[in-house]
Amino acid sequence: MNRPLAISRQDHILNALDAAGAVSVSLLAERLGVSRETIRRDLKALADQGRANLVHGGAARGTTAEPSLAARQAANARGKAAIGRKAASFVEDGTVVLLDSGSTTLALAYALVERKDITVLTNSLPIALLLCRSSGVKVTMLGGEIDPNDEAAFGIDTLAALEHFRVDLAFIGVGGISAEGELTDYSRLASEQRHRMMKAGKKVFLLVDHSKFERRTPVKMAIGSQIAALIVDKPPPKRIAQAFAARRWPVIQAKA
Amino acid sequence: MNRPLAISRQDHILNALDAAGAVSVSLLAERLGVSRETIRRDLKALADQGRANLVHGGAARGTTAEPSLAARQAANARGKAAIGRKAASFVEDGTVVLLDSGSTTLALAYALVERKDITVLTNSLPIALLLCRSSGVKVTMLGGEIDPNDEAAFGIDTLAALEHFRVDLAFIGVGGISAEGELTDYSRLASEQRHRMMKAGKKVFLLVDHSKFERRTPVKMAIGSQIAALIVDKPPPKRIAQAFAARRWPVIQAKA
DNA sequence: TGCCGGTGTGGCATTTTGTGGCAATTTCTG
DNA sequence: CAGAAATTGCCACAAAATGCCACACCGGCA
């Protein structure tokens, strides 16, 4: 029928490049409905103009260091990416997914970029921006007051917005895990909001990278619902592991 | 009427160009019920007038065809920056400011980065992210479904969220301004939302850079309230200026 | 009737895209 | 660490879409 115009294709590629920093040939080919060879030729053309940078499997944008995003992700980036990929494997087509704010859930968002038939709900600005720029995912932002630290919305508006949605899977981060295995958070409000997010989801996954183990943050988190699993990048210390087992929380370890 | 006149055909083509950034010969031929050759001749005519840009398979707008935010930012960046600075000068400390989505309002956000004692309400992801990262401004995000093109929230959730706030100043963008001086927008929903935003603000400023003059977009915008002023970077054409005067809209020209 | 602008049709050159095979690279696995 | 399996890059050729030109057709008009 009507192929998309070559020029709008390259346009789309540049956009995706701006948003994600890198694009893959296979993904673009699928998303744009053309063959991989065509995408390769597009990338070559863009590379000839100096607008893209060819790498194996796709193209990347020169030295685009994303601001604070990359900086925070730098802390245990590999582990978080592994958790993100693992978590993404639980997301089936056609589902509604709730993503909490935080660098670990952002890693999950990166892993969801290739998906198309899912709806993502989030209070995180970077996650919303990433997914709306470079994926076919439907994105709904939960509004509210922005916490500059988390770059995400919190507050009664966020809680109220949450009420309106049916969520299949909720992916929640945590501030820290005490030596006794208790989940903790930075503030009462954040804790309460995560609590509501858990209640909103039919299945709840906690994303915990190992830098959170035995990190103390001030507020105890209330766990109101069943936890489908914790996804971690390294096995937790014994005492924490025992606490998880006592609560019957399955622990899934992502491989790097 | 079976066969649309050549003029109205080219009109349609220009509209499609503005809306999508690029058009394809095949699609237009099918839509308008004429042969591809005829469309090609139309495009050639438009290209001769400098109103379109031929590419293989169709035509594109300007040098790079594309309506995405990243590119719109580049279009007339200086003019938009001037408008942004001028608009920022109306923002006093302690006020609540509503920023519409769009590249011109994003320019205003840049100009507000150094302010501290203001509260910003916006449905635009880039604006929210920018202000929460690099300023002391309190930011509240209006949630809703994200339109990837605008990178901003639209929909009933956004409208509902808007109801909860008292806004001193509202800064609104427009999709285009017809030759008769009518404000237009890309979609009914966007138009309605801007309408509500205007009603929410005690004082309403419209931000219009000159690339909007005589640009056609499909939906008429309802102006429900008093307009404090239009802020422009260049004086509008006579006919548009007269229309503004007839409505008693003060026009403020920002200096570059 | 003959002219004229606009339009459709068909043929052919050109450009773009798809396909299949094979080499090179990466990733997985034991 | 080595070898297998999967992915990707690359090339050449085929297929499809598009551009372009010449010419026929149609309807209005003097």
Side-chain angles (χ1 to χ4, degrees):
Chain A
M1 241 293 250
N2 282 307
R3 276 201 306 267
L5 228 42
I7 189 160
S8 20
R9 222 176 33 222
Q10 303 191 358
D11 214 48
H12 180 107
I13 294 174
L14 284 178
N15 271 353
L17 213 46
D18 277 335
V23 293
S24 89
V25 172
S26 310
L27 177 59
L28 287 171
E30 188 192 343
R31 179 98 65 242
L32 297 172
V34 296
S35 73
R36 288 202 299 276
E37 191 59 24
T38 299
I39 296 295
R40 284 200 63 263
R41 287 190 265 242
D42 283 338
L43 292 181
K44 180 127 187 359
L46 293 174
D48 286 344
Q49 301 168 26
R51 312 223 271 168
N53 231 320
L54 295 185
V55 298
H56 189 92
R61 175 131 287 184
T63 53
T64 50
E66 292 148 54
S68 74
L69 200 121
R72 254 200 293 178
Q73 256 205 321
N76 190 24
R78 261 214 326 250
K80 284 171 182 170
I83 293 176
R85 282 194 300 273
K86 188 71 184 174
S89 71
F90 291 100
V91 179
E92 291 170 16
D93 280 356
T95 54
V96 177
V97 180
L98 174 61
L99 296 193
D100 183 23
S101 60
S103 51
T104 316
T105 45
L106 180 56
L108 167 54
Y110 271 105
L112 289 176
V113 159
E114 321 196 347
R115 310 298 289 273
K116 10 180 186 176
D117 207 19
I118 62 177
T119 300
V120 168
L121 230 61
T122 184
N123 65 324
S124 157
L125 293 174
I127 290 177
L129 204 52
L130 170 69
L131 289 178
C132 89
R133 276 187 180 166
S134 55
S135 80
V137 172
K138 257 189 297 184
V139 182
T140 296
M141 177 81 197
L142 300 169
E145 293 173 36
I146 302 297
D147 176 341
N149 248 356
D150 281 18
E151 300 178 346
F154 291 90
I156 55 172
D157 292 308
T158 318
L159 295 177
L162 204 46
E163 300 294 326
H164 298 143
F165 296 95
R166 182 193 62 76
V167 176
D168 295 307
L169 271 57
F171 293 93
I172 311 289
V174 300
I177 296 181
S178 72
E180 298 79 31
E182 255 176 350
L183 304 188
T184 64
D185 212 326
Y186 291 95
S187 75
R188 276 285 291 125
L189 177 58
S191 160
E192 174 66 18
Q193 188 160 312
R194 296 214 162 83
H195 183 204
R196 299 277 192 102
M197 285 181 168
M198 292 187 208
K199 287 212 300 191
K202 278 197 286 199
K203 282 181 98 170
V204 177
F205 292 86
L206 295 178
L207 307 186
V208 182
D209 78 295
H210 72 270
S211 71
K212 305 289 169 51
F213 296 147
E214 304 191 15
R215 163 187 293 188
R216 261 220 104 95
T217 55
V219 183
K220 246 197 286 190
M221 243 169 95
I223 308 293
S225 47
Q226 284 295 88
I227 303 294
L230 273 95
I231 304 180
V232 301
D233 61 333
K234 285 188 183 180
K238 255 186 202 161
R239 204 153 151 210
I240 292 181
Q242 287 170 354
F244 289 166
R247 298 189 193 182
R248 314 238 166 124
W249 288 350
V251 175
I252 297 172
Q253 186 180 341
K255 291 171 205 165
Chain B
M1 190 56 193
N2 282 346
R3 186 189 299 155
L5 289 176
I7 301 290
S8 66
R9 222 174 35 221
Q10 302 191 0
D11 210 48
H12 180 107
I13 292 174
L14 285 178
N15 279 339
L17 251 184
D18 280 332
V23 293
S24 87
V25 172
S26 309
L27 191 61
L28 286 171
E30 190 187 335
R31 283 259 201 288
L32 298 173
V34 296
S35 72
R36 291 211 310 268
E37 191 58 27
T38 299
I39 297 295
R40 282 200 62 263
R41 289 191 265 243
D42 283 338
L43 291 181
K44 180 121 184 12
L46 293 174
D48 286 343
Q49 300 168 29
R51 313 229 271 165
N53 217 316
L54 294 185
V55 297
H56 189 92
R61 196 57 154 173
T63 48
T64 63
E66 99 98 331
S68 110
L69 193 70
R72 284 200 304 252
Q73 246 177 294
N76 192 22
R78 262 216 325 254
K80 283 169 183 171
I83 293 177
R85 284 193 300 273
K86 188 71 184 176
S89 70
F90 291 100
V91 179
E92 293 170 13
D93 281 355
T95 55
V96 177
V97 180
L98 173 61
L99 295 193
D100 184 22
S101 60
S103 51
T104 316
T105 45
L106 180 55
L108 166 54
Y110 272 105
L112 290 176
V113 158
E114 304 192 359
R115 310 295 289 273
K116 313 191 211 181
D117 205 20
I118 60 177
T119 300
V120 168
L121 227 60
T122 184
N123 65 325
S124 158
L125 292 173
I127 290 177
L129 205 52
L130 169 70
L131 290 178
C132 89
R133 274 184 182 165
S134 52
S135 79
V137 172
K138 257 190 295 184
V139 181
T140 296
M141 176 81 197
L142 301 169
E145 292 171 37
I146 302 297
D147 176 343
N149 230 20
D150 281 18
E151 300 179 348
F154 290 90
I156 54 174
D157 293 308
T158 318
L159 295 176
L162 204 47
E163 300 294 326
H164 298 142
F165 296 95
R166 183 193 60 77
V167 175
D168 295 308
L169 270 56
F171 293 94
I172 311 288
V174 300
I177 297 181
S178 73
E180 296 79 33
E182 255 175 351
L183 305 188
T184 64
D185 212 326
Y186 289 96
S187 75
R188 276 286 291 124
L189 178 58
S191 160
E192 175 66 20
Q193 189 160 312
R194 297 215 161 84
H195 183 205
R196 299 277 192 100
M197 285 181 167
M198 293 186 208
K199 286 211 301 191
K202 277 197 287 202
K203 281 182 97 170
V204 177
F205 291 87
L206 294 178
L207 306 186
V208 182
D209 78 295
H210 73 270
S211 71
K212 305 291 170 50
F213 297 145
E214 303 192 16
R215 161 182 294 189
R216 298 139 209 237
T217 57
V219 183
K220 247 196 287 190
M221 246 169 93
I223 308 294
S225 46
Q226 283 296 88
I227 304 293
L230 272 96
I231 305 181
V232 301
D233 61 334
K234 285 189 182 179
K238 255 186 200 160
R239 195 143 160 225
I240 292 181
Q242 287 169 354
F244 290 166
R247 300 188 193 182
R248 314 243 163 118
W249 289 350
V251 175
I252 298 173
Q253 186 179 341
K255 290 169 206 166

